Amino acid sequence: MSEEIVFDCLHAEIVNYCLDNRKDQNDLATLEYIGFTTGYRLNERLTRDVTRFKDELETMKFICTDFWTLIYKKQVDNLRTNNNGMYVLQDRAFRFLTRISPGAKQLEQAPKFVAFTCGLVRGALSNLGINSTVTAEVQTIPACRFHVEVNRS
Amino acid sequence: MSRQATRLDAKKVNSEFLTLTYGALVTQMLRDFENVDDVNKQLERIGYNMGMRLIEDFLARTSAPRCLEMRETADRIQQAFRIYLSVQPTISNWSAASDEFSLLFDSNPLTEFVELPTDLSNLRYSAILSGCIRGALEMVQLEVQCWFVQDQLKGDNVTELRVKFVRRLEEAIPAGED
């Protein structure tokens, strides 16, 4: 699909913008927040005609299949959970990392490209009533693992 | 993982995703800068950077030859909008010298779900588009000016983007050669 490249460019520019004005290059909060608001609003529209999910696991499955397919053109490769609010979503070829060459030097840059998605997932879950913390872990480019921790209170 | 296959229209969702992401970015900028003009400038700059990259993709995809005059350029820009944003702007209002034209948009995908609050009447919400055109054309040695004449967000019937040819950029001669 042709629009993909547009989004890829926009994403790259957003990453640039968010880090340009910060003294601390590791401050990814803004980037994450932009993802959060996007995810929140997007899911509002995506789930409009979907039947109510019966539990948390089903909600996570929606994120891994439908949500992921629409945005990243593939499903999450692997979903694990400890059945106690911790989920690990593994994507072996994460879209924003596929164009980066693998290597230790590039690995340092990886957090920039996954922060937006962390926010996206958090926002999407938040709109479905799940309050969570989402972090990402990149060990080898382009594979990426997202850890979702549901905050219960 | 077997929920029934996606019922959602991928193409539509894609453009909504782009729209919402762009909206989130503009919102963030408005928070970051006090001055609306600064936001306009930033959006334009982001568009410029995107245009510089998108032209490569465009040329690779369409294998379009070099444009010899502005009318051809206008057609290409129209084609690019069709490819990248799935909208077809109308080209009109040519100046007598054929160096200036307007792109008329019936609908602008970037401004879907958007309403401008009254205190932001100076915000050029879609400034990214003019930046894109400028950046892309600069990569093919055309310097243009690009600005909004009408904007649906500000109550006009159509969104009108004006493009004016300024000059042809010359290839710089490598040092030491005549």
Side-chain angles (χ1 to χ4, degrees):
Chain A
M1 182 159 303
S2 49
E3 281 173 25
E4 251 174 75
I5 177 89
V6 181
F7 187 79
D8 285 348
C9 285
L10 182 64
H11 177 257
E13 289 304 320
I14 290 177
V15 172
N16 254 341
Y17 165 77
C18 288
L19 297 174
D20 260 5
N21 301 308
R22 305 288 175 278
K23 290 192 187 70
D24 180 5
Q25 283 289 301
N26 296 316
D27 180 9
L28 298 169
T30 326
L31 196 53
E32 207 260 2
Y33 186 70
I34 290 181
F36 175 81
T37 48
T38 308
Y40 193 94
R41 290 174 189 150
L42 185 69
N43 224 8
E44 180 100 24
R45 297 192 57 78
L46 291 187
T47 54
R48 197 176 45 181
D49 303 321
V50 176
T51 44
R52 184 178 278 270
F53 302 116
K54 65 177 190 293
D55 55 18
E56 204 174 270
L57 185 62
E58 209 181 309
T59 313
M60 288 307 297
K61 279 186 186 166
F62 171 79
I63 297 285
C64 293
T65 54
D66 290 2
F67 186 80
W68 218 262
T69 314
L70 286 167
I71 297 171
Y72 299 108
K73 316 299 164 210
K74 68 191 282 294
Q75 295 192 355
V76 165
D77 293 307
N78 194 332
L79 169 66
R80 286 169 196 231
T81 173
N82 67 354
N83 291 315
N84 197 19
M86 278 292 294
Y87 298 85
V88 179
L89 285 63
Q90 192 186 12
D91 191 335
R92 278 192 286 270
F94 183 59
R95 175 170 159 193
F96 296 139
L97 295 175
T98 46
R99 293 180 191 198
I100 302 174
S101 62
K105 194 160 188 306
Q106 284 77 7
L107 204 56
E108 286 169 26
Q109 310 291 326
K112 289 181 193 174
F113 299 98
V114 294
F116 175 81
T117 302
C118 287
L120 205 61
V121 174
R122 188 167 72 89
L125 286 172
S126 168
N127 197 339
L128 297 172
I130 298 176
N131 198 347
S132 61
T133 310
V134 182
T135 50
E137 175 193 348
V138 184
Q139 275 169 351
T140 45
I141 291 171
C144 182
R145 270 190 201 151
F146 294 92
H147 298 261
V148 179
E149 192 182 347
V150 177
N151 305 334
R152 307 201 193 275
S153 58
Chain B
M1 288 199 248
S2 62
R3 282 179 62 83
Q4 68 195 85
T6 305
R7 302 134 290 230
L8 301 149
D9 176 1
K11 190 151 181 127
K12 185 151 168 287
V13 172
N14 246 322
S15 96
E16 288 182 356
F17 182 46
L18 186 76
T19 308
L20 291 172
T21 308
Y22 183 64
L25 175 68
V26 178
T27 317
Q28 181 62 41
M29 282 183 176
L30 286 167
R31 241 191 311 260
D32 287 348
F33 300 98
E34 283 167 17
N35 192 338
V36 176
D37 290 334
D38 288 343
V39 177
N40 290 337
K41 243 177 261 165
Q42 286 287 335
L43 288 175
E44 161 97 25
R45 194 180 61 96
I46 283 186
Y48 179 82
N49 292 343
M50 283 174 70
M52 289 203 302
R53 287 158 200 255
L54 285 174
I55 185 78
E56 306 243 354
D57 183 76
F58 178 77
L59 293 177
R61 201 187 287 266
T62 60
S63 54
R66 183 172 285 274
C67 297
L68 298 174
E69 50 146 12
M70 278 312 269
R71 288 189 188 261
E72 281 178 66
T73 312
D75 286 343
R76 295 285 151 66
I77 294 176
Q78 188 186 36
Q79 186 186 6
F81 272 105
R82 203 162 54 225
I83 295 178
Y84 294 116
L85 289 178
S86 320
V87 287
Q88 171 110 339
T90 320
I91 298 169
S92 69
N93 301 349
W94 280 96
S95 65
S98 281
D99 64 343
E100 206 177 323
F101 61 93
S102 291
L103 294 159
L104 299 175
F105 298 82
D106 293 328
S107 68
N108 177 353
L110 289 181
T111 57
E112 214 184 331
F113 324 123
V114 178
E115 258 181 64
L116 279 192
T118 43
D119 58 328
L120 287 179
S121 53
N122 281 334
L123 178 69
R124 287 197 296 278
Y125 188 86
S126 317
I128 195 169
L129 294 183
S130 50
C132 249
I133 293 180
R134 218 164 45 80
L137 291 185
E138 195 164 308
M139 289 294 110
V140 288
Q141 275 100 34
L142 286 174
E143 187 179 325
V144 294
Q145 270 179 336
C146 197
W147 70 96
F148 284 93
V149 183
Q150 300 187 71
D151 193 337
Q152 278 162 325
L153 283 179
K154 298 184 181 149
D156 298 313
N157 279 330
V158 288
T159 299
E160 178 176 357
L161 194 56
R162 192 99 181 126
V163 181
K164 182 184 191 330
F165 172 80
V166 178
R167 68 191 173 99
R168 186 173 284 277
L169 298 167
E170 299 297 333
E171 296 274 5
I173 300 164
E177 284 179 42
D178 281 315

